[in-house]
Structures are given as structure tokens and as C-alpha cells.
Amino acid sequence: MKRGKYKASTKPQKGAAKNEYLPRAVEITKIRDLSSDVKHYTLKFKDGKPFEYKPGQFVQVSIFGVGEAPISITSTHERGDDLEIAIRRVGSLTNAIHTLKEGDELFIRGPYGNSFPWEAGKGKDILFIAGGIGLLPLRSVMNAVFHHRKDYGKIWILYGAKSPQECVYADELARWGKLDNVEVLQTVDSPTAEWKGGVGVVTTLFEKIEFDPEKTISYLCGPPIMIKFTNITLEEKKMQPDNIITTMEMHMKCGIGKCGHCLVGHKYCCTDGPVFTFAELKALGAEE
Amino acid sequence: MKNLKVKTQNLVKLLDALKDASNLLAPQTDKYGDTYFQQVVDASQVVLKHFKPLMPAVREVLFGQLEDMITFKDTASGTKIKPVKAAKDTILFGLPNCDLDGILYNDEFFAKREFADFYYVNARKKLTIITLACLTPPNENCFCASMGHGPFAEKGFDLQLTDMGDGFFLVNIGSKKGQKIVDDNSSLFEAAGEADLSKWKELKQQAEESTTKKDVNKKKALDNMGRTPLKEQMIIEISDRCISCGACNYTCPTCTCFNVIDHKKDKAGTRKRVLDSCILGGYFRMAGGHNPKEAKEDRTRNRYFCKLLWDKEKLGDSGCVGCGRCLDACPVKVDIKDVIKQLSN
């Protein structure tokens, strides 16, 4: 019998291992409400040291004694933004974070994960499609693209939410909509009397736009059911799975490819993702 | 490999010396008749017969069931945090080769990939490994030789001992750490002759034959795992029987998944990691309730693909070392050996 041998795919690291589990303290400098259950936080590192990140990366956010969870970065380092995250109240940690006030403390480690390949889309048209709080992680790449506006062609933003009250970043969507060659289309499931956008699921907005699948890159984020139907529509419109880019949400405990909770097929969402093309997800058998 | 031998009574003397210099963990039998790794106080109580502990040896010091990571304390100027210090120098004595190879797997997984694990790396540096070769299978579920992981060790140990049955143990030196133990206690050892060595080779061959299952073909099975549709039917059958207790994961020497929890009392506490199991229903569930692998079948697929397919792609070899512990522990007798056997055709 041939002897079994374990061989890691990457070279052993030299020197002492850094303690990646040890987070840094941040101060919450600003809080604003994005919807009834989503708050936006601006953060400042207490140690004053720099924190560099790319659009699409995430951080592990914790309150000691409550727990830790992965949260998307919604700001754009490229523009010199302060670190910003947006958090929906959904579990014990996020509920605890929602009780914090400006000046309070959080702990952050990261940034982790790959990033949106936003520079590869230069010269192309960009189609952003977001459902609900799927707009939060996409905001980082949107701002990167708008920061380099002249490098891109036409930009569409299709945004669907349950109701007008659930729409996040309404002010920014309105501002982006006024830019040249940018079209922002919104839809909700349950409209109010004042609602001016569409009614129905986000795929209904495809009837209102025309794009060239050959020269368009699509960024997509939202709940699983929305991702599924949007992908079907994009494929019907002859968009190549390589050009449909999404970011996944999974349960994560470590963020560094160790704890095993975020496996998507054999890939770790935390280190191999969270950004995947639809072609990659298909190969992993995880396109839904 | 340089070879020596040591008399049984001198081995006890060696353990007695080692226990004073370091934290020595070795198999001992408690008053209920259970044998497992315990700290050595009296070297004469150490069991000098090869054994397969219920929990794999990697859980003893490197990647425990429950491990402290960070301590924290609320103060007027915010929460103060401190990483938990690495364990002290430890010698693990008497582990079988399946456990050694389990540790070598964990080395690759935790220490040699991107983002080396601080706690694992520090504990590993302070660990000395003395294995005891299995002359016969500790129980009927052992099939390490079929998986290329034993029953004798070839690398990765500091010292390997083999009970020669004549009042002597043959000693293989596998590292500088092992050499140092021998040098520091040289009066206890004597040179092994040609006759000893040929007897040792004979014992090794017998042991290999006794833990080889003729109907298991590892290479074929792993290749088939990647392509045969048979595996889907097997996954469904296993998941039909599985009761999602997680025992297979907890007892597996190459299961590495963990959860992180905070324990806090009043104003202070500890962030800990605790072994987790991908077979448990809530393993993949996110805050808010969405569970991408809600079906037991999906989690069963995750476990078997991870062990028999993805590990090979990621770390160069299957995660199954053939120790048979998952079958030892399984209440409904799901048999990974049988899975590999079916895939061997």
C-alpha cells in the first residue's frame, strides 16, 4: 500500500503566526437609520493605524460577551471613505449592535475575502441588480465605479425591495439617478400611495431596459430566491455566466478558512469568495 | 533511521524522567476501567500496550474540544482583550499511528495554509510525539493499512516504540527532539542489532496485514468518489440511516470544524472555540433562519465529499486515516469502510 501523504496547497508560513482571531477596537462615530431594521455605522479605529480594503470584502464584527459575525463593508477605500458597515437587526449580535450609540465601541478584524473584479469591467456597461439589503455590499463596488465614472459606459441600477420603507440608501439612489448615462429603476412588492417606482419583483424591471449582453457586466446581490430568478432572466437575455458576478452570504465563524461553516461546494465562502461569478457557482453546484 | 532498544523497566524510568521535565500525557486506566490520555503522576501506571483512544490524540493538546482563545474584561475605557497564552511543553506518549497521521493532517490544515492558526501553531511547537506501534488492530473497525496510514509510523514522530515481546521496545528516532530525549537519557537505551531489526520488520509486516482489508482499494475509491453516480445513491442511504448526532465528526482525527462562543459572567469572560459537526442540523444555519443545507442529505454529502474528495484536492490526501472511530461511535453503524469498499469497484 502506498503511504498516504498530506501536502498543503500553499507554502508554510515563515516566522511566528499572527493571531488573526484578535480584533481591533473601533469607535462608532456616526449612526444613521437606513430602514426600520437596518442601521448604517461609520467606524474609526482606536489604535489610529490604517485599515485597507477592497470593494466586496467583509469584516468580522464583535461585541465581546455576545459574539462575532461577518458583515459586508459598504464603504469604498478607493475614495478615502471612513470604514462603513450596515447591519440589519436579525440575530442576537446584530440586535445588540442596534442598541449601541455613537461613541460606543465595537471590535473588528479583517478585511477578509476576495473582492469584486471591478477594474476588469472597465470600458463596459455595468448592470447592478439588488434585492433588499443586497444593496449594502454592492454599494462598495458602486462607489468604486462611480469614482472612476469615465472608465465605464452606461450604468443601470435595478433595485427591488418589499416596500418603500424597506428601501435602503434611498438618498444615494436618487443622487446616482441624476448622473449622466445612469438609470436607476426601483420596484417594491407593496407600494404606498406616494410610491413612484414599479410594483413587482426585480425581474419585472428588465422590461424597461435594453442592454448588450456582449458588453455588459452584471453585479448581483439579494435573497436566494431573487438571485435564482434574476440569473434565469439574465441567461435568457444571453448574458454569459462569467459576466454575472454575485456575493454570497454564509454562516461564518472564523473568516479565514478554518471553521468550515461557509463551505459552498468545496470552496470556502470566506477565503475563496464571498464574490463568485455565476459560472463558478454553477461548477460548485450552488447556483441557487 | 537510527535504531535503539529500551528495556520495559527502563522505559518506565524514562517516563518518570520525562514527567518531571515536561507535561507528560500518556494512556492510563481510571477506576472505571477506561483507558485514555491523562497527565502522568506515577510512571508505573502508564499502559505500555498499544491502544486506540476513544477521542483522537489531536484533541488532547492541539485542537481541543473546548479551547480558550481570548479573555475580555469590560472597563470604564472600553473592553480590554488579551489572547490566551500557548500551552506549556507537552509530551504525548503512546498514541497509535492513525492519531499521528491525524495530527499531520491538522498540521497541513491549520499551520501550513494561508492564515496559519495562532493557537494551533503555538501548541504544536511545544509538542513532542512518542508513538506506540499497533501490533494487532485495537479493534475490528481498524483499517489504517488500507488507507496508507499505518499501523507503523514512517514519519512525523519524534520517537516510535514497538513492543518486541521479549521485554524490550524497539526505538525509532524520527527527529531532533526525539534524538535529544535519547541523548539526555542515554544510559536507559542500548543498541539494536540486526536480529532485532529483522524481527521488527516481521512484526511490522504482520501488523500491516492484519489491518489491511482486502476489499478496500483506496486509490480506486477516491477516484470513483470524484465521478461515479453510485455515490449519490450511497449518500441518500447513509442520510436515511443517520440520526444527526455528530459522533462521527467529534471522534474523527481529521475533522477540523469549530464554532466560536463567548462565555461572560458579570464584566469579564472568555471567547472560546468548540468543536463543531457538519452533520448537525444547525451547522449551516444563518442568523435570520436561512439554512442552505437544511436537508440531512446535503449535510451528509458535505461530510463524505469533504473527507473522501475535497481533502485530497486541498491537502493531497483523503482525510480518512482508517482509524474506524466514526464506526466505533456511530449509534446506527454507518460504516465509512463499507462506503470506501463500495467505491472500490
Side-chain angles (χ1 to χ4, degrees):
Chain A
M1 180 68 218
K2 198 170 163 274
R3 294 293 290 202
K5 258 189 202 160
Y6 292 117
K7 191 181 179 346
S9 49
T10 51
K11 280 183 188 164
Q13 299 199 333
K14 281 183 186 153
K18 183 186 168 223
N19 191 345
E20 271 294 335
Y21 300 105
L22 208 60
R24 290 158 68 188
V26 292
E27 185 193 324
I28 300 171
T29 55
K30 200 177 162 201
I31 302 175
R32 64 181 169 114
D33 287 314
L34 294 185
S35 76
S36 58
D37 60 355
V38 183
K39 283 177 194 276
H40 180 99
Y41 298 85
T42 308
L43 309 171
K44 200 176 120 199
F45 281 89
K46 289 189 171 180
D47 59 19
K49 288 180 191 154
F51 185 83
E52 289 179 17
Y53 55 92
K54 290 178 260 177
Q57 287 194 295
F58 67 95
V59 284
Q60 290 283 124
V61 181
S62 50
I63 297 179
F64 278 91
V66 183
E68 192 177 47
I71 304 285
S72 302
I73 300 173
T74 62
S75 53
T76 310
H77 186 66
E78 178 83 11
R79 298 198 313 175
D81 289 352
D82 286 333
L83 181 63
E84 293 166 359
I85 54 178
I87 294 175
R88 183 175 163 207
R89 201 176 65 228
V90 66
S92 53
L93 175 68
T94 49
N95 267 294
I97 292 174
H98 269 238
T99 65
L100 298 178
K101 298 174 198 69
E102 288 175 3
D104 283 349
E105 181 183 62
L106 275 175
F107 282 86
I108 297 273
R109 59 188 179 91
Y112 296 126
N114 62 0
S115 56
F116 286 112
W118 61 280
E119 283 171 303
K122 282 185 179 175
K124 302 222 171 173
D125 294 342
I126 308 287
L127 171 57
F128 292 111
I129 309 162
I133 58 165
L135 189 61
L136 307 178
L138 284 188
R139 181 180 178 253
S140 65
V141 61
M142 286 173 172
N143 274 329
V145 166
F146 284 122
H147 190 59
H148 296 270
R149 182 66 192 92
K150 62 178 188 333
D151 294 337
Y152 299 89
K154 168 105 184 176
I155 295 172
W156 295 271
I157 299 173
L158 312 186
Y159 182 46
K162 281 190 189 137
S163 66
Q165 295 82 12
E166 304 282 304
C167 289
V168 295
Y169 296 126
D171 49 342
E172 297 183 31
L173 286 166
R175 202 172 65 234
W176 289 328
K178 285 176 194 147
L179 299 172
D180 271 355
N181 215 14
V182 176
E183 214 175 324
V184 176
L185 295 166
Q186 296 189 64
T187 183
V188 293
D189 296 335
S190 323
T192 50
E194 304 83 47
W195 179 249
K196 292 194 183 73
V199 176
V201 294
V202 75
T203 46
T204 59
L205 296 173
F206 280 104
E207 294 158 16
K208 300 177 184 173
I209 64 164
E210 250 177 63
F211 63 91
D212 179 354
E214 297 289 315
K215 54 179 283 236
T216 305
I217 302 276
S218 177
Y219 291 97
L220 171 62
C221 189
I225 188 83
M226 170 256 174
I227 302 261
K228 181 180 170 182
F229 285 103
T230 307
N231 269 319
I232 292 171
T233 310
L234 286 172
E235 287 211 310
E236 278 168 8
K237 298 202 176 277
K238 305 280 178 260
M239 192 94 176
Q240 290 303 311
D242 274 336
N243 292 329
I244 307 173
I245 297 154
T246 188
T247 174
M248 299 275 287
E249 183 188 50
M250 291 293 286
H251 186 45
M252 286 177 198
K253 282 294 169 184
C254 71
I256 54 174
K258 304 285 182 286
C259 81
H261 286 85
C262 71
L263 276 172
V264 181
H266 68 286
K267 297 270 186 189
Y268 293 108
C269 187
C270 64
T271 51
D272 298 312
V275 175
F276 293 97
T277 66
F278 192 53
E280 287 170 327
L281 291 183
K282 267 188 164 173
L284 293 169
E287 65 266 37
E288 287 167 23
Chain B
M1 206 150 45
K2 199 179 149 195
N3 302 300
L4 293 168
K5 57 183 192 173
V6 59
K7 266 200 189 98
T8 306
Q9 58 266 43
N10 282 347
L11 179 56
V12 176
K13 280 184 195 161
L14 175 70
L15 292 173
D16 195 49
L18 293 176
K19 84 171 195 321
D20 295 332
S22 185
N23 176 38
L24 176 64
L25 298 176
Q28 289 162 84
T29 307
D30 68 11
K31 62 178 175 180
Y32 306 105
D34 296 326
T35 304
Y36 50 95
F37 291 106
Q38 296 172 62
Q39 192 168 11
V40 176
V41 180
D42 175 0
S44 70
Q45 295 302 305
V46 174
V47 177
L48 295 176
K49 188 176 161 25
H50 65 261
F51 92 125
K52 173 167 72 167
L54 178 65
M55 288 306 264
V58 66
R59 303 267 180 273
E60 297 299 329
V61 272
L62 296 174
F63 176 56
Q65 251 176 307
L66 186 64
E67 270 185 357
D68 292 352
M69 299 173 88
I70 299 167
T71 56
F72 54 89
K73 197 176 174 183
D74 291 342
T75 70
S77 59
T79 306
K80 297 291 166 236
I81 62 172
K82 227 160 91 182
V84 172
K85 276 195 191 137
K88 48 192 171 183
D89 284 321
T90 298
I91 298 172
L92 203 49
F93 173 88
L95 54 154
N97 183 67
C98 55
D99 272 0
L100 169 63
D101 279 14
I103 289 173
L104 299 183
Y105 172 97
N106 280 265
D107 286 352
E108 300 296 335
F109 185 85
F110 281 116
K112 296 186 184 172
R113 291 156 66 239
E114 189 188 14
F115 297 118
D117 188 280
F118 176 80
Y119 300 98
Y120 185 93
V121 170
N122 286 345
R124 184 68 172 96
K125 275 185 197 154
K126 292 175 175 284
L127 179 67
T128 302
I129 297 172
I130 305 178
T131 62
L132 193 51
C134 289
L135 298 170
T136 51
N139 74 14
E140 68 283 5
N141 296 330
C142 294
F143 65 115
C144 59
S146 298
M147 298 308 282
H149 288 289
F152 279 44
E154 281 178 6
K155 65 173 173 68
F157 55 85
D158 296 303
L159 292 177
Q160 169 172 245
L161 303 179
T162 308
D163 188 348
M164 302 289 280
D166 54 1
F168 281 96
F169 284 79
L170 192 102
V171 183
N172 306 124
I173 301 166
S175 73
K176 282 181 189 161
K177 269 187 196 172
Q179 185 67 51
K180 188 168 184 312
I181 291 176
V182 170
D183 292 346
D184 290 350
N185 302 277
S186 56
S187 63
L188 299 174
F189 295 89
E190 45 204 284
E194 277 304 315
D196 294 318
L197 214 57
S198 61
K199 187 179 173 193
W200 179 78
K201 279 179 185 157
E202 212 173 284
L203 288 173
K204 181 170 184 275
Q205 201 187 337
Q206 278 170 17
E208 272 162 13
E209 276 162 18
S210 69
T211 44
T212 303
K213 300 281 181 271
K214 301 266 181 303
D215 44 9
V216 171
N217 182 329
K218 179 185 175 182
K219 190 182 177 308
K220 233 178 184 174
L222 297 187
D223 286 351
N224 278 339
M225 193 69 194
R227 51 178 184 243
T228 171
L230 169 73
K231 63 178 187 274
E232 275 309 309
Q233 187 53 39
M234 282 173 10
I235 298 290
I236 290 166
E237 282 170 15
I238 293 167
S239 108
D240 273 352
R241 293 168 64 198
C242 174
I243 56 167
S244 291
C245 71
C248 50
N249 293 123
Y250 293 126
T251 55
C252 179
T254 63
C255 269
T256 49
C257 292
F258 60 86
N259 193 5
V260 177
I261 49 169
D262 285 359
H263 279 174
K264 187 177 182 184
K265 202 177 172 216
D266 300 327
K267 290 190 173 307
T270 310
R271 177 161 290 179
K272 303 174 181 206
R273 69 171 161 201
V274 55
L275 209 57
D276 209 343
S277 155
C278 64
I279 284 293
L280 303 183
Y283 180 82
F284 291 98
R285 191 178 57 228
M286 288 178 251
H290 178 61
N291 189 344
K293 292 190 177 74
E294 195 159 24
K296 194 163 63 179
E297 193 186 308
D298 289 338
R299 301 194 304 278
T300 307
R301 187 177 295 110
N302 187 81
R303 171 165 162 76
Y304 281 86
F305 275 43
C306 182
K307 213 52 56 187
L308 299 178
L309 183 64
W310 302 336
D311 274 344
K312 187 164 190 281
E313 291 167 2
K314 201 162 56 196
L315 303 175
D317 194 10
S318 144
C320 180
V321 295
C323 69
R325 282 191 183 87
C326 49
L327 176 54
D328 293 347
C330 183
V332 294
K333 298 293 162 214
V334 170
D335 187 349
I336 195 167
K337 190 168 75 266
D338 194 50
V339 172
I340 298 169
K341 190 172 93 183
Q342 286 187 52
L343 287 167
S344 294
N345 299 312

